[in-house]
Amino acid sequence: MRALADSAQAPFSLPDEVLQALRRRFGARCSTALAQRELHGRDESPFDVAPPDAVVFAESNEEVAFVLQLAQQHRVPVIPYGTGTSLEGHLLAVQGGISLDLSRMKSILQLHSEDLTVTVQAGVTRQQLNQEIRHSGLFFPIDPGADASLGGMAATRASGTNAVRYGTMRENVLGLTVLTASGEQIRTGSRARKSSAGYDLTRLFVGSEGTLGVITELTLRLYPLPEAVSAAICFFPSIDAAVQTTIAIIQMGIPIARCELLDAHAVRAVNAHDHLGLRESPMLLMEFHGSAASVAEQAQSVQALAAEQGGEAFEWASTPEARTRLWTARHHAYLSALQTRPGCRCVTTDTCVPISRLAESINESVREVEATDLPYFIVGHVGDGNFHMGYLIDPQQPAERELAERLSAQMVARALRLGGTCTGEHGIGLHKQGFLLDEAGPGAVALMRSIKAALDPAQIMNPGKIFAS
Amino acid sequence: MRALADSAQAPFSLPDEVLQALRRRFGARCSTALAQRELHGRDESPFDVAPPDAVVFAESNEEVAFVLQLAQQHRVPVIPYGTGTSLEGHLLAVQGGISLDLSRMKSILQLHSEDLTVTVQAGVTRQQLNQEIRHSGLFFPIDPGADASLGGMAATRASGTNAVRYGTMRENVLGLTVLTASGEQIRTGSRARKSSAGYDLTRLFVGSEGTLGVITELTLRLYPLPEAVSAAICFFPSIDAAVQTTIAIIQMGIPIARCELLDAHAVRAVNAHDHLGLRESPMLLMEFHGSAASVAEQAQSVQALAAEQGGEAFEWASTPEARTRLWTARHHAYLSALQTRPGCRCVTTDTCVPISRLAESINESVREVEATDLPYFIVGHVGDGNFHMGYLIDPQQPAERELAERLSAQMVARALRLGGTCTGEHGIGLHKQGFLLDEAGPGAVALMRSIKAALDPAQIMNPGKIFAS
């Protein structure tokens, strides 16, 4: 992390002309206060803060265009900002510039419940969306854990717990309003469910991490709230047994809606934090959506598969309250784990492999970390072959950080050998640029760079991310 | 179509050096015979043939790279060719050049049944794939009607009958091997189900219609063959009643696998062709996949919804043979319709709208064509909001072609007004370049062009398609 710390110290500053223009247009919504800048120069990663030179709170497409045109003219970096919950250093202003905060663009613009679509501004968070559309009987399923903004979720191609059934942001964004690097407003996609009209600009901007333009509006697919929902937890004698159960569920094509793994460390942490009294062994947390009959049938099939692997102590929850209690374990895992080691920070990994290689991938990673003294925990969207290992490091101990990075590099190398990816859902940011090169190869990365150069010739959009500048 | 006919006449020819080099490398697999060139200079559209200067049958990535490098050096157009079944003029050599036929690259490279993935060469057709993986208990669901090559299906972002449940090529391609315009081999995507590793090159090449590079290999998602499959036809008093039933099915979230509309003209045509004895009124052809209980439940719900709209004479088919009989109606609709007017050609439309606007979209289109004497038929993947109207024109009567084009333009304009797209699954090709501009707007099209310029600076990849040169 030394290079990053260095660049965070580098003396950036906005041209005075730019700052004056921002102040004239935005007044108090343009801030250079250190506290604001530091808040906007970090994310949930363990990287040191790299504050932008100014923070601007935009409230309309026109304001976003204004900032981009000004930045373009003066070659100033612009970093789109949602809720600050990304995990790979995406928001750090490693070359200074303007943090363009979109959190005030939080209107739901058009709900078309009869078409199962909604158009929202980029600052709307997923919880706000589901709250506001509750009356329609519809919901938006993508749940990355954090109450992230939908613009940010699109920018990092987020997924999370429901992806095994409903897909990721890739599958659930129908269209976008984007302000290009030059400040031109374009629209990608229509409200139709499918289209073959030209290049797939929607999917190009989904996952582009703010490096190609600013997403300001999104048209999303919604789903009818299932007639019946049932959640269950089940405990296993080993991680391997839990993973083998998952593999069988996926291979049989059971349309499970959520299939989450917590290892014993994660369960212990949430027990301590929330007094849940769960058995401290590897656990699958599952959810089934559908008609009452279909949910019952899925649950029965899964229980049989789990039993073959020694899964037991099934606990079922069909009421919303009972489900919330079970899901508390999953949703609090990260924060609870952080509290098991006061003052620690978490280095989180994010590999995703073909489902048949998941056991090998997790077992080897466990073996490697167990050979050290580093505290860790595992949570995983295992139905997708995606899991996170969190290494709890003391930020004052460079050796611990190096160890975590070495273990993480070994995990990624293994995932790539097994046909997987270096990141299932967190993105590249600052942290995985080398891994991207390993995974995609120099030819594909060169092609990505040529797209970046074509769409952002002045290199103002979140520079230094995805590719080293 | 005059402009096209003109360009088809234009005197193109390959530099002698290029032809010699191709002959040295490919021998008899390089052809300049008029019959081959004409075969490769047309598709299923009513456009006049525009033959390439030479046809090359490639058998490996290295051979594709050789052709591209040669073409790059001499600024010669290259048009990737699969089975010739596209519908918007994609394959016409409007600027001459080389038709690069990939139909001999038809190996299944790696079947990972335990991961529900397969990697194939681009020339493998969908029927071949399903035949060869039958033993695994898995299938690839995308069915555009024609037995197209999977490379071609990716290039046009094809979908078809199963898309309402399983998605389109967009959702079902995990990764690609692509030879870029300069002949460099890259790999997009891994075998993981999801990834956030950099720009989504996979989705950029899916739907790029051969204008950015040559797809030579595809890694695809497979699905377990459903435990139970049941098909049904149901007849309605009006197209509107059939469409209203469809809308209700989708809005209720019933996971129907196929939901196809045939109007009375289409039913009449297949009756004449296949002696099916079906009632000649608007018909929905549906299919349900799942466990036996789930299929029964879906079928029951749908039957109730259909009854509310006057749907009757339900006919069920659960055995493969009985299903094949029902699906004959759908699969033969296009060819049967062509035979109702000897010597005719078909101008096919392909709009897709948000599901709630489908009735309005179809009803208005019917009203407009009924006000003329033009024979027509309607088939539709109505579960997606996608339908095709086929106008059966006499190619000797320019007035009929003009009328069909005018009706088609009115349909597209209406689809765009209703929030839809000018093409759900056929692509832009030569035919819809103006509509693309109407739909996406000049800013988004300029952005697409800048990507084209970045990836194919010499403009050799299928020039004149998607964008007018």
Side-chain angles (χ1 to χ4, degrees), chain B residues 354-410:
Chain B
I355 192 80
S356 74
R357 316 311 293 269
L358 184 61
E360 179 177 352
S361 181
I362 296 187
N363 293 342
E364 282 294 296
S365 302
V366 167
R367 199 183 51 72
E368 284 172 356
V369 68
E370 286 283 350
T372 75
D373 287 332
L374 206 58
Y376 73 96
F377 66 99
I378 297 175
V379 290
H381 313 304
V382 283
D384 292 319
N386 182 208
F387 71 101
H388 310 301
M389 192 168 274
Y391 303 111
L392 301 171
I393 62 164
D394 175 350
Q396 306 308 321
Q397 303 282 343
E400 288 200 3
R401 182 171 286 202
E402 272 164 39
L403 175 60
E405 292 295 337
R406 183 167 60 73
L407 290 168
S408 166
Q410 286 167 205

Side-chain angles (χ1 to χ4, degrees), chain B residues 390-442:
Chain B
Y391 303 111
L392 301 171
I393 62 164
D394 175 350
Q396 306 308 321
Q397 303 282 343
E400 288 200 3
R401 182 171 286 202
E402 272 164 39
L403 175 60
E405 292 295 337
R406 183 167 60 73
L407 290 168
S408 166
Q410 286 167 205
M411 261 185 69
V412 169
R414 183 163 44 247
L416 300 187
R417 271 201 309 280
L418 298 174
T421 177
C422 67
T423 171
E425 55 182 15
H426 294 171
I428 299 298
L430 282 173
H431 193 206
K432 292 195 161 170
Q433 298 175 356
F435 296 147
L436 174 63
L437 207 56
D438 294 342
E439 176 173 337

